[in-house]
């Protein structure tokens, strides 16, 4: 009787936490950098305050640098949660790591959809999202390149490809 190959053991909690931390930090840095660079008509502080407005509403723009720092912290907290979700899924489904490029791209789009249609509308932010496909295209591409792909790549690098040894 031939038995199936043993299931891959789950990585340790420490490895999973470190993977999510690195992936969240990289995606957070890339995403906020892209937000600042694609909004050069406003100061970087205003971009960070726009993030803080999700917590504070319009008051965020009257708070100066303290609210900008709050926005930066909130942004990285969100990216850490996003990374934890992907890393947890990839730990139990190695196929997500094997196909990291298409999976990362799809994950980036999924993150954008959740942010645009769930998180921002439920927040206190007065900032509205794109109203048509053309205005949504840039943030979708940014989420693919700066969020989905880096998180998927770091996860594959740190947890392995998910391929069984032959």
């Amino acid at each position: 009787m031939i038995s199936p190959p043993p299931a891959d053991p789950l990585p340790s909690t420490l490895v999973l936490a470190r993977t999510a931390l690195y992936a969240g930090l990289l995606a957070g840095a890339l995403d906020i950098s892209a937000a600042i660079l694609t909004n050069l008509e406003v100061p970087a502080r205003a971009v960070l305050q726009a993030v803080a407005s999700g917590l504070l509403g319009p008051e965020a723009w009257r708070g100066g640098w303290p609210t900008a720092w709050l926005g930066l912290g909130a942004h990285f907290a969100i990216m850490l949660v996003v990374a934890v979700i992907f890393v947890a899924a990839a730990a139990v489904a190695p196929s997500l790591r094997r196909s990291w490029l298409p999976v990362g791209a799809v994950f980036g789009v999924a993150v954008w959809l959740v942010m645009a249609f769930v998180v921002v509308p439920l927040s206190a932010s007065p900032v509205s999202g794109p109203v048509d496909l053309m205005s949504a295209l840039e943030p979708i591409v940014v989420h693919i390149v700066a969020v989905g792909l880096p998180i998927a790549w770091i996860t594959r690098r740190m947890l392995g490809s998910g391929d069984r040894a032959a």
Side-chain angles (χ1 to χ4, degrees):
M1 178 171 176
I2 298 175
S3 61
D8 291 331
L10 287 176
S12 73
T13 303
L14 180 62
V15 169
L16 292 173
R18 186 178 298 135
T19 302
L21 177 64
Y22 291 170
L25 289 174
L26 177 60
L30 292 172
D31 186 47
I32 202 66
S33 296
I36 291 168
L37 291 172
T38 58
N39 291 286
L40 290 174
E41 68 279 3
V42 299
R45 184 186 77 219
V47 173
L48 298 174
Q49 288 171 315
V51 177
S53 75
L55 298 170
L56 305 175
E59 287 296 314
W61 282 279
R62 292 188 274 284
W65 276 104
T67 58
W69 293 122
L70 175 65
L72 185 62
H75 172 74
F76 275 98
I78 290 167
M79 283 297 114
L80 183 57
V81 169
V82 167
V84 164
I85 291 167
F86 186 87
V87 170
V92 297
S95 61
L96 298 177
R97 300 191 314 263
R98 280 192 292 276
S99 303
W100 73 273
L101 271 168
V103 168
V106 169
F107 186 66
V109 173
V111 170
W112 178 81
L113 286 168
V114 170
M115 293 302 297
F117 295 105
V118 178
V119 175
V120 172
L122 290 176
S123 77
S125 178
V127 177
S128 63
V131 292
D132 61 28
L133 181 60
M134 287 313 293
S135 60
L137 202 52
E138 183 178 281
I140 290 171
V141 170
V142 166
H143 275 80
I144 291 169
V145 173
V147 178
L149 291 177
I151 289 174
W153 178 74
I154 292 252
T155 302
R156 179 183 166 100
R157 295 277 299 164
M158 294 187 71
L159 300 185
S161 66
D163 293 329
R164 294 189 193 278

